Amino acid sequence: MTTELINILHGHLGVDEAKIEKIKALNGNNPQSALQAIKSQGLLDELTLLQASSTLLGLGVLQKILPGMIDPTLAAPFAVTYLKQKKAIPLRDGEKAILIAINDPFDYETIDTITKTLAMGFLETVLCSEAEIAKALNEAFEEGPHTAEQILKDIDEEESVKIYAEIAETTDLLEDTSEAPVIQFVNLMLSKAAKNRASDIHIEPYQQDLRVRFRIDGLLYNTFSPPKRLHPSVVSRIKVMSGLNIAEKRVPQDGRIEIKVGDRNIDIRVSTLPTVYGERVVLRLLDKSSRMLELHELGIPDAHLSEIRKLINLSHGIVLVTGPTGSGKTTTLYAALSEINTQDKNIITIEDPVEYQIDGIGQVPVNRKVGLSFANGLRTIVRQDPDIILVGEVRDLETAEIAIQAALTGHLVFSTLHTNDAASAITRLIDMGIEPFLITSSVLAIIAQRLVRTICPSCKRPAEVSSACMKDLCVTEEDLKEATLFTGEGCDKCMQTGFYGRTGIYEIMKISESIKKKIISTSDANAIKEAAVIEGMRTLREDGSDKIMKGITTPEEILRVTQV
């Protein structure tokens, strides 16, 4: 091990004696082999190794690559696979200066190749971590030289009717070098949707045009408007990727695609629907790389959170979560399951489809083609000695009856319903054919929820709000004196919308003794809700108003997603 490197590590960087002794024992005849040996053994963290190389070679260390330094045109002459393999990227430092950020300071060949290719004279080299370089490469190639307009210009009349071959394995879209413009356009569309946090992509053919819209934070935004003649080719490409029948255009089809965009694995559910102007396609994106949220991160008020934690730790009964499609019901239930998922519990779910995979939980996907429905699956699950059961949705009388029987025989059951508020879930169950006395005997609580957009932190500013608007939300002048309301002006981060991300608003109706009596006497949702409010239930609007006063969202957003 070289004396110079030992002096730098011990004298300049303060590496302790114990580690120095281990480093001395490694084989390394020169600084390059010595640093590689230290890295392979994991004796020092990456930043310390970069600082050692910096002192040794007189190079700077770039700890963070700022967005303004990433210039797609500098990266364009190189294949993304090459730069990822070499862990290097050319960056812009100010208006004129160009840097080469690299992880291996001794990779002179790559430094020379980048310098010669860019032909901009001498370029300063700086050291940077692998993670920062990878993130910058993903950003550079997502923005890439192939814009939608350029790709669409490359597609002529003849080419637009061709059907392109399938790429068999799941490849990183940023590394896909296919030259076919339709493939490039579909890749660009998927990677842009992933980057912009879109939950859905809508490809909609009309009489004269073709529209591509992204659903971001619950609302649809126009994104691309390709020529109508491209519609068959784009749909065929998506069908090929998802394993659907490209020749069948008369019936709806469902498929699935797994893609990579940079370091993110994304699962896409594909649904096609024949319309008078051609097949309409909707793609639902699920980022499998994202971390599952915990209960305390969902926006549940502290008082509600303690109630929910008590409910999910009970031994038997039914907890229902209600709300429209896309209101975050599954996320809430998964967060609850994750919290109570311990070795002493047998948890089994039946879902359509399984959206997140959780270690330690048996998850069963509904498969109607072979006769595995919610009811059939639930009937079998009960014989699997479960402690906790999650039923994706109570859709019919049979499923509801089995879920209630499971709850009455000592199981804790979670499920969802599509209703507007908590009280309406009672009416819905009675309408299905469930006897009121069975509901009062089995249902513990009903949680209603909505997702509201949160104000973008980058362009957040105080706002004036009309008194009429606040009156609708039951907010008084006294309340307003003690709070500052905010709005978002709109910036590049939030796509000029003023909102970035979403949080939940909740109402929890516990089935108390007085509520049980009300359910037995009437199925009127309004009467049940009135009784619950008298007992202290906070409604969706009241929870929304609280989030307005805390500067989390806006009055208009709460009024948009709630009704009186």
Side-chain angles (χ1 to χ4, degrees):
M1 190 61 63
T2 63
T3 306
E4 189 179 4
L5 181 59
I6 294 294
N7 290 338
I8 290 170
L9 292 173
H10 190 45
H12 291 269
L13 299 176
V15 176
D16 60 59
E17 288 286 353
K19 282 189 178 176
I20 290 295
E21 289 305 315
K22 288 180 182 178
I23 290 168
K24 285 179 179 177
L26 297 174
N27 291 323
N29 300 322
N30 56 56
Q32 182 178 359
S33 61
L35 286 166
Q36 285 174 348
I38 294 168
K39 186 175 182 179
S40 65
Q41 293 291 320
L43 292 175
L44 297 175
D45 61 79
E46 188 179 22
L47 182 59
T48 303
L49 287 172
L50 290 176
Q51 288 171 336
S53 300
S54 166
T55 306
L56 194 67
L57 302 172
L59 299 174
V61 175
L62 184 63
Q63 292 198 17
K64 188 166 183 62
I65 298 176
L66 301 174
M69 301 176 77
I70 301 167
D71 186 345
T73 58
L74 290 175
F78 308 95
V80 64
T81 45
Y82 171 78
L83 293 178
K84 280 189 173 184
Q85 183 187 356
K86 299 299 183 182
K87 300 181 182 68
I89 184 173
L91 300 168
R92 195 169 289 283
D93 185 20
E95 290 186 12
K96 296 181 180 179
I98 307 297
L99 302 173
I100 299 173
I102 196 164
N103 185 254
D104 182 358
F106 298 98
D107 189 357
Y108 303 118
E109 184 182 347
T110 299
I111 295 169
D112 287 344
T113 300
I114 294 174
T115 303
K116 287 175 183 175
T117 303
L118 293 178
M120 294 179 176
F122 172 76
L123 303 180
E124 184 185 348
T125 301
V126 292
L127 304 179
C128 191
S129 70
E130 289 185 29
E132 278 297 305
I133 291 171
K135 194 164 73 172
L137 284 169
N138 289 339
E139 185 75 21
F141 282 90
E142 278 176 359
E143 296 293 343
H146 302 298
T147 65
E149 292 76 16
Q150 287 171 323
I151 291 169
L152 294 173
K153 281 178 188 174
D154 290 340
I155 306 175
D156 57 31
E157 290 284 350
E158 290 182 11
E159 197 167 38
S160 67
V161 298
K162 292 178 184 175
I163 296 171
Y164 296 96
E166 179 174 9
I167 299 172
E169 59 187 64
T170 301
T171 56
D172 186 337
L173 292 190
L174 303 182
E175 297 179 12
D176 187 357
T177 56
S178 303
E179 294 183 3
V182 167
I183 293 180
Q184 288 184 3
F185 174 70
V186 171
N187 287 355
L188 175 80
M189 179 179 69
L190 295 175
S191 60
K192 187 176 176 68
K195 185 189 173 190
N196 289 335
R197 304 175 296 108
S199 61
D200 301 83
I201 303 171
H202 291 236
I203 300 167
E204 304 164 342
Y206 295 100
Q207 187 171 9
Q208 302 294 336
D209 61 348
L210 176 63
R211 190 182 302 165
V212 177
R213 297 194 288 173
F214 291 172
R215 188 177 292 281
I216 302 169
D217 292 336
L219 295 183
L220 284 167
Y221 297 92
N222 285 330
T223 312
F224 302 117
S225 295
K228 177 68 186 295
R229 59 186 167 78
L230 297 186
H231 177 245
S233 299
V234 170
V235 173
S236 293
R237 172 61 187 157
I238 291 168
K239 282 185 171 182
V240 163
M241 292 176 76
S242 54
L244 300 180
N245 183 354
I246 61 173
E248 181 55 79
K249 301 178 182 179
R250 300 163 299 172
V251 297
Q253 296 186 67
D254 293 309
R256 185 175 171 178
I257 306 170
E258 287 189 12
I259 61 168
K260 282 182 71 181
V261 180
D263 55 352
R264 297 163 64 191
N265 292 307
I266 296 174
D267 194 20
I268 302 175
R269 299 207 309 265
V270 181
S271 173
T272 70
L273 179 70
T275 71
V276 290
Y277 299 120
E279 287 180 285
R280 183 187 181 105
V281 182
V282 174
L283 299 96
R284 167 66 58 89
L285 280 68
L286 181 70
D287 189 347
K288 295 196 293 185
S289 308
S290 62
R291 182 180 61 84
M292 193 179 301
L293 295 174
E294 297 179 21
L295 271 178
H296 67 272
E297 297 174 302
L298 301 179
I300 303 172
D302 290 340
H304 282 176
L305 195 56
S306 60
E307 287 178 11
I308 290 172
R309 286 193 165 124
K310 285 177 189 173
L311 288 169
I312 64 177
N313 281 289
L314 293 174
S315 60
H316 59 88
I318 297 178
V319 176
L320 290 172
V321 180
T322 77
T325 302
S327 59
K329 300 185 296 294
T330 304
T331 301
T332 299
L333 287 175
Y334 276 9
L337 284 184
S338 296
E339 188 154 311
I340 57 176
N341 180 20
T342 55
Q343 287 186 349
D344 60 334
K345 290 188 178 79
N346 180 21
I347 304 175
I348 305 178
T349 76
I350 180 161
E351 305 166 67
D352 183 21
V354 173
E355 292 190 12
Y356 299 93
Q357 275 126 31
I358 311 174
D359 286 340
I361 292 179
Q363 296 174 274
V364 180
V366 165
N367 188 343
R368 291 181 189 82
K369 290 178 182 176
V370 296
L372 180 57
S373 63
F374 277 118
N376 292 341
L378 183 54
R379 195 178 284 109
T380 305
I381 285 170
V382 173
R383 296 197 289 269
Q384 290 275 315
D385 184 33
D387 297 297
I388 299 161
I389 302 169
L390 167 63
V391 184
E393 184 186 343
V394 175
R395 293 180 179 173
D396 52 42
L397 175 60
E398 191 180 6
T399 307
E401 285 178 337
I402 302 167
I404 286 171
Q405 289 303 320
L408 292 173
T409 53
H411 304 90
L412 184 61
V413 180
F414 296 128
S415 192
T416 70
L417 269 176
H418 285 95
T419 62
N420 291 325
D421 59 12
S424 300
I426 302 294
T427 309
R428 176 86 180 96
L429 289 172
I430 293 172
D431 184 52
M432 278 183 187
I434 301 296
E435 294 290 345
F437 73 87
L438 286 174
I439 296 172
T440 57
S441 303
S442 58
V443 178
L444 300 169
I446 301 166
I447 304 166
Q449 70 177 76
R450 297 287 188 281
L451 289 177
V452 295
R453 295 179 295 169
T454 53
I455 301 167
C456 175
S458 299
C459 57
K460 188 175 184 177
R461 63 168 178 79
E464 295 288 329
V465 181
S466 70
S467 55
C469 183
M470 298 313 290
K471 187 179 178 183
D472 287 340
L473 293 165
C474 302
V475 175
T476 65
E477 293 291 336
E478 288 298 315
D479 294 331
L480 288 172
K481 286 178 184 176
E482 299 176 12
T484 304
L485 275 59
F486 291 89
T487 189
E489 284 188 309
C491 62
D492 290 340
K493 181 180 178 181
C494 63
M495 296 173 59
Q496 308 303 324
T497 63
F499 296 97
Y500 189 89
R502 289 188 289 178
T503 190
I505 57 172
Y506 299 84
E507 71 179 26
I508 300 178
M509 187 177 83
K510 291 187 290 184
I511 309 301
S512 63
E513 289 304 318
S514 62
I515 298 295
K516 286 179 182 180
K517 289 176 184 175
K518 185 64 74 173
I519 292 168
I520 295 294
S521 64
T522 180
S523 62
D524 180 13
N526 290 328
I528 296 168
K529 183 174 182 177
E530 230 173 81
V533 169
I534 290 169
E535 282 204 336
M537 182 183 82
R538 281 166 55 91
T539 64
L540 286 167
R541 277 215 168 165
E542 286 172 335
D543 190 23
S545 299
D546 188 49
K547 286 182 169 61
I548 294 168
M549 307 302 278
K550 289 178 178 175
I552 295 169
T553 189
T554 65
E556 294 79 13
E557 186 66 7
I558 298 299
L559 291 171
R560 180 180 70 84
V561 301
T562 63
Q563 295 176 356
V564 179

